[in-house]
Amino acid sequence: MLGLLLLQVLASCLWLGHSKVVNSFADCPEFFYAGTTPNNALHPQNPAWICQRYRNSSHYATLYDRDRRIPVYSAYKYHPGPAKRPHVWWFVEPQLIGKNDLQEIERESVLINQHKFTLDQIKKSQAVLDDYDKKTGLTRGHLNPNGHMDSKENKTATFSLTNIVPQDKSLNDGQWNKYESKTMTEMSKDCTTTYVITGAVPGSTNVAGGRVNRPSHIWSAACCLVGTQPKKSWGVIAENNKNQVENHSLGELENRLTSLYGERRVTLFNSACPRE
């Protein structure tokens, strides 16, 4: 009898493993140094753990806030490459639309016309294209930018709205772009592997008729490995209404986030990544 019960539990666990939106990043630990994810101080009330899949591969990982309809953070390996920015439609995440067998990002039109979902079903737990249409002073801000990816497939996968927040346009086009395109290149030039986690602190206002939260801050942290050993780390943070980026050590950034998240102690990387 006990053996039968154990088999039933195992079968249940195996069935759950088929979905890529589960309650951990067990299916894509490779985007976190030593498999260590940020602690649960960042977790929203209604989270989704997404292994961002496109063309039968996972390209990065995202912790998503279903209620605020923004990502908490995206984690990835920094691998800029020669592939051009793809000309693609924006994608949404089918795995956030109740029970279905779709495991990869897809366009809204395909989900509606081919898979017979309604727009209301798609909109229930995630942002859609209309939420970002004609937003004065705001733009679609990537947490994992396509410029940090190498191949066409990797770059294309970043164009999921689950990887996007409403970002101040002057910041996204200005100092944040400078950090992504120049500072990251300089800081990581001697690194064998650079792990990156970029996130957004929930704000007190919403856009899109109250559907989508406008973050108060955008932040990013990196842990640089030389060979297989962490040698240095760094972090940045920006208020999401100013064209200004603050540079910090990893420890300083974690302390700042701890304050912004109501004194819940935040840790972003494995303890081997230097905090100073």
Side-chain angles (χ1 to χ4, degrees):
M1 193 70 179
L2 179 59
L4 179 60
L5 178 61
L6 289 172
L7 285 173
Q8 289 174 332
V9 172
L10 178 60
S12 175
C13 291
L14 288 174
W15 182 83
L16 286 171
H18 285 201
S19 174
K20 299 305 176 188
V21 174
V22 287
N23 61 357
S24 74
F25 290 118
D27 287 340
C28 51
E30 65 270 24
F31 302 114
F32 303 91
Y33 170 62
T36 303
T37 64
N39 69 339
N40 61 11
L42 300 179
H43 289 186
Q45 289 188 346
N46 192 10
W49 289 260
I50 304 173
C51 296
Q52 298 276 12
R53 291 184 59 81
Y54 177 70
R55 298 279 177 90
N56 297 314
S57 295
S58 292
H59 299 270
Y60 58 102
T62 298
L63 180 63
Y64 193 76
D65 187 335
R66 299 172 188 257
D67 294 335
R68 295 185 177 96
R69 298 182 179 88
I70 58 170
V72 179
Y73 61 76
S74 286
Y76 58 97
K77 292 181 182 180
Y78 176 69
H79 283 307
K84 294 181 179 180
R85 177 188 174 101
H87 297 284
V88 297
W89 293 96
W90 289 90
F91 298 99
V92 292
E93 180 52 72
Q95 298 170 74
L96 295 176
I97 316 172
K99 294 182 178 179
N100 65 76
D101 294 327
L102 304 175
Q103 296 187 2
E104 299 192 355
I105 55 175
E106 190 51 89
R107 288 175 293 161
E108 286 177 31
S109 60
V110 172
L111 293 178
I112 293 170
N113 296 327
Q114 296 185 21
H115 297 285
K116 307 307 177 185
F117 290 108
T118 66
L119 182 58
D120 284 342
Q121 286 176 311
I122 300 172
K123 292 171 64 175
K124 184 177 180 180
S125 294
Q126 63 187 304
V128 295
L129 285 169
D130 284 349
D131 292 325
Y132 284 92
D133 188 35
K134 298 177 181 178
K135 292 293 178 289
T136 303
L138 295 173
T139 188
R140 300 181 186 97
H142 284 74
L143 296 191
N144 175 9
N146 84 91
H148 287 188
M149 299 286 101
D150 52 1
S151 69
K152 179 181 178 181
E153 289 75 20
N154 282 339
K155 289 178 180 288
T156 300
T158 68
F159 287 87
S160 169
L161 291 175
T162 56
N163 180 47
I164 297 299
V165 297
Q167 187 171 9
D168 181 89
K169 190 176 189 303
S170 65
L171 174 64
N172 196 26
D173 293 344
Q175 292 302 308
W176 195 260
N177 177 269
K178 180 180 178 181
Y179 172 74
E180 288 180 338
S181 61
K182 295 183 179 179
T183 306
M184 274 294 297
T185 301
E186 295 168 0
M187 294 292 290
S188 62
K189 64 181 179 181
D190 296 322
C191 306
T192 306
T193 307
T194 304
Y195 289 88
V196 180
I197 302 173
T198 300
V201 180
S204 59
T205 61
N206 298 309
V207 298
R211 281 180 37 81
V212 180
N213 184 261
R214 175 176 177 165
S216 63
H217 297 74
I218 314 294
W219 56 268
S220 187
C223 181
C224 160
L225 276 62
V226 176
T228 60
Q229 299 300 314
K231 293 299 181 183
K232 65 178 180 178
S233 303
W234 62 90
V236 295
I237 191 168
E239 294 181 53
N240 194 26
N241 60 0
K242 298 177 182 177
N243 183 23
Q244 182 177 342
V245 172
E246 301 174 18
N247 297 297
H248 291 289
S249 67
L250 175 58
E252 289 170 342
L253 177 61
E254 289 177 330
N255 289 338
R256 182 76 180 278
L257 292 176
T258 295
S259 176
L260 289 170
Y261 275 89
E263 301 304 325
R264 291 178 290 170
R265 183 63 193 167
V266 172
T267 60
L268 299 176
F269 282 110
N270 183 279
S271 60
C273 295
R275 260 55 189 183
E276 298 300 324

